[in-house]
């Protein structure tokens, strides 16, 4: 899986909001804290607002905050809000692709890849990242030395 800059920035911005608590946080403060280009961040926050993940208010007392508790927002929610489906093949959902002949089983492989991504990204919430308490299965995967090998 390739994580886009947009998804990475969106997750980092949402984690910053989760760490800040309930009050509004200015976009420029998020951008500075996470080293995200301000113009890019505004577009990302707009996507997150349209997806119902963040709320915003204009003005001196304005800013952004999470629309739901941090333990109810998964990393998958954020990625889908800014990039669409977690896994697709040539822009088509995994279950909708079809292959012929010897490549026929690839559809099942792509569906399994998507399920594997979901097994991690749908279980990890913003609260997990902020507290550093990742789900056991995710922690176990990350602790496997082979997971760190660049292959």
């Amino acid at each position: 899986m390739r994580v886009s800059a947009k998804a990475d920035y969106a997750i980092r911005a949402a984690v910053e909001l989760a760490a800040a608590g309930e009050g509004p946080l200015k976009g420029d403060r998020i951008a500075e804290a996470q080293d995200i280009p301000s113009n890019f961040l505004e577009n990302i926050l707009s996507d997150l607002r349209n997806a119902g993940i963040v709320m915003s208010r204009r003005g001196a007392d304005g800013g952004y905050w999470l629309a739901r508790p941090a333990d109810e927002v998964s990393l998958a929610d954020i990625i889908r809000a800014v990039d669409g489906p977690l896994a697709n093949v040539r822009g088509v959902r995994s279950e909708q692709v079809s292959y012929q002949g010897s490549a026929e089983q690839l559809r099942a492989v792509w569906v399994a890849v998507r399920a594997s991504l979901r097994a991690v990204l749908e279980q990890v919430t913003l609260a997990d990242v902020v507290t550093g308490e990742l789900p056991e299965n995710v922690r176990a995967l990350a602790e496997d030395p082979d997971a760190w090998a660049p292959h």
Side-chain angles (χ1 to χ4, degrees):
M1 172 184 183
R2 185 181 146 152
V3 177
S4 71
K6 189 174 187 180
D8 179 49
Y9 289 161
I11 290 169
R12 289 167 40 203
V15 166
E16 195 68 25
L17 290 172
E22 295 183 24
L25 197 58
K26 299 281 187 198
D28 58 349
R29 187 160 165 215
I30 298 167
E32 183 178 321
Q34 290 298 320
D35 195 25
I36 301 171
S38 293
N39 291 340
F40 199 18
L41 179 61
E42 289 302 321
N43 292 331
I44 289 167
L45 290 169
S46 177
D47 288 344
L48 294 176
R49 188 177 58 246
N50 291 338
I53 294 172
V54 302
M55 297 179 72
S56 66
R57 180 175 56 230
R58 293 179 187 249
D61 293 333
Y64 297 89
W65 63 93
L66 292 176
R68 303 188 313 253
D71 63 353
E72 293 179 14
V73 181
S74 73
L75 300 188
D77 294 334
I78 296 165
I79 293 170
R80 286 184 186 113
V82 298
D83 279 349
L86 292 180
N88 63 58
V89 180
R90 302 179 321 270
V92 177
R93 292 183 181 275
S94 303
E95 73 278 5
Q96 294 174 332
V97 297
S98 65
Y99 298 96
Q100 305 300 316
S102 58
E104 190 172 349
Q105 291 305 307
L106 281 176
R107 178 180 175 203
V109 171
W110 303 139
V111 169
V113 166
R114 181 180 61 193
S116 178
L117 291 171
R118 284 178 173 170
V120 173
L121 297 172
E122 288 182 348
Q123 287 188 19
V124 178
T125 68
L126 295 176
D128 296 332
V129 176
V130 169
T131 65
E133 296 178 17
L134 299 176
E136 181 58 39
N137 67 316
V138 174
R139 193 172 40 254
L141 287 169
E143 289 172 356
D144 180 353
D146 193 46
W148 295 86
H151 55 81

